[in-house]
Every structure is written in structure tokens, then in C-alpha cells.
Amino acid sequence: MMGIFASTAAFGALQQKDFANARKYYEEALKVDPNDLGNNYQIALALLEPNPPDPLGFWYGAKALGIAQKSNPQAFQAWSPYFLSKYKKYHGNTDDWNQRIATAATETAPPANFVASILWRLPVRSGRAGCAAE
């Protein structure tokens, strides 16, 4: 029941654009079922919609797509353009995106080095690392 309550609270927070609480509650729900398609998708939105986005959202987006690829092809087709566009804007290219989907599909939580693995590839501008969208 905890997962259902957390998921419901998270969805309500997301609808109110309360991204911090949405994240907190989706994390609780995903502790109960780390392979829940809807919760992985929704936490990805909660992390990627704020400005600036939290790059951890790309892992959850990749996880959701990895699950959807096998269980819900319509969701995979509908969601892919959103995540691909966000990833390209943030990362600068999409060369490794399909590998990120395949890897996340086999994991139950983001690896400790996930954010760093995206950040190290960002272009250097004016002598410092920066977001590709800068």
C-alpha cells in the first residue's frame, strides 16, 4: 500500500508543479517497485521539467523507455521524442542514448556515477564545462 500512497501523492505534487515533493514521493514509490513504468516516467518528468533540469531524470527516462520497449510499445513511441530532445539539448548529442536505455533497463536504481557520466561529455565553453544548451 505504501507504494500506491506515495505514487498518488507524487502525481498530485507533479500536477501542481511541486517538483521537489513529486521527486520525494516517486522515490518512495520506486523503492517498492523499481520497475513500475508509470512511476519511472513521472519521476523523469519531475526531474527534467524544472529549470535547470536534474540530469538524473535522464536515467529514469531511459529506465521508463527500457520497460516500455518490452511491455508498452505505444508508450515507447510516444515518450521517445520527448526524452531524446531533452537529452540532445542537455548533452549536445544523442550518440549514446540507446545504450543508456539498454543499460537502465537492467538496473533497479541509478548508478552512483550516472550524472558524472553525462557531465563529462559536455562541451567546454570559455574555459569551463557548460550545458550544451548554454
Side-chain angles (χ1 to χ4, degrees):
M1 291 299 275
M2 176 58 183
I4 294 169
F5 291 132
S7 182
T8 302
F11 185 75
L14 185 59
Q15 294 304 301
Q16 297 297 316
K17 297 191 185 293
D18 180 356
F19 300 119
N21 277 318
R23 175 187 186 155
K24 177 178 77 171
Y25 291 123
Y26 280 123
E27 286 173 344
E28 288 299 316
L30 287 167
K31 286 178 186 174
V32 175
D33 182 3
N35 292 309
D36 183 277
L37 175 62
N39 287 338
N40 276 288
Y41 172 72
Q42 297 289 353
I43 194 172
L45 298 180
L47 294 170
L48 295 175
E49 282 303 303
N51 190 13
D54 182 332
L56 198 54
F58 294 116
W59 184 88
Y60 288 102
K63 176 69 174 178
L65 290 175
I67 296 166
Q69 214 167 20
K70 294 182 180 188
S71 66
N72 191 335
Q74 296 86 356
F76 179 83
Q77 291 299 318
W79 299 343
S80 287
Y82 170 83
F83 290 117
L84 198 61
S85 172
K86 286 277 192 181
Y87 191 72
K88 183 175 183 178
K89 184 177 180 182
Y90 186 87
H91 185 62
N93 65 63
T94 58
D95 297 346
D96 62 346
W97 182 241
N98 288 334
Q99 182 58 46
R100 291 197 184 275
I101 293 171
T103 302
T106 67
E107 300 169 328
T108 58
N113 69 337
F114 181 80
V115 172
S117 75
I118 292 176
L119 295 177
W120 74 266
R121 295 180 179 177
L122 292 175
V124 175
R125 305 211 177 167
S126 304
R128 62 179 180 82
C131 179
E134 283 186 343

